[in-house]
Amino acid sequence: MKRAAPRSTLRTLIKRHKPQLCLAAYADLLVHLNFLLFLHRLAEEARANAFESKSKTIKSEHTMAAAKVILKKSRG
């Protein structure tokens, strides 16, 4: 699989936002995997919302509603 950003760039971004963290060797890969899983879940929720509203295309409203559902589930 081709990565959108090099590992060094991802590590730099993580360290910029959380400088107090001590990163393991493959922490950046775990962050990348977590991001991909989030995108997959967001796409599935948005697809389900579009299907429920009988829409043939996924619109921004479907994606925003899916993001709110995912946020609520992750908090509670």
Side-chain angles (χ1 to χ4, degrees), residues 7 11 14 18 23 35 37 46 49 53 62 65:
R7 288 182 66 184
R11 289 182 73 80
I14 295 168
K18 298 287 184 176
L23 295 178
F35 174 69
L37 290 172
N49 289 345
S53 65
H62 302 131

Side-chain angles (χ1 to χ4, degrees), residues 16-73:
R16 188 177 301 151
H17 289 285
K18 298 287 184 176
Q20 71 277 11
L21 290 180
C22 188
L23 295 178
Y26 294 104
D28 54 322
L29 293 178
L30 293 174
V31 169
H32 188 256
L33 176 62
N34 193 24
F35 174 69
L36 291 176
L37 290 172
F38 168 75
L39 284 181
H40 184 265
R41 185 173 174 192
L42 182 67
E44 288 295 320
E45 289 279 342
R47 184 185 63 79
N49 289 345
F51 182 76
E52 287 174 4
S53 65
K54 296 180 173 72
S55 176
K56 291 185 179 183
T57 59
I58 298 173
K59 299 178 182 170
S60 62
E61 305 91 56
H62 302 131
T63 307
M64 292 302 292
K68 288 178 183 177
V69 167
I70 291 171
L71 185 61
K72 283 182 184 178
K73 287 182 181 177

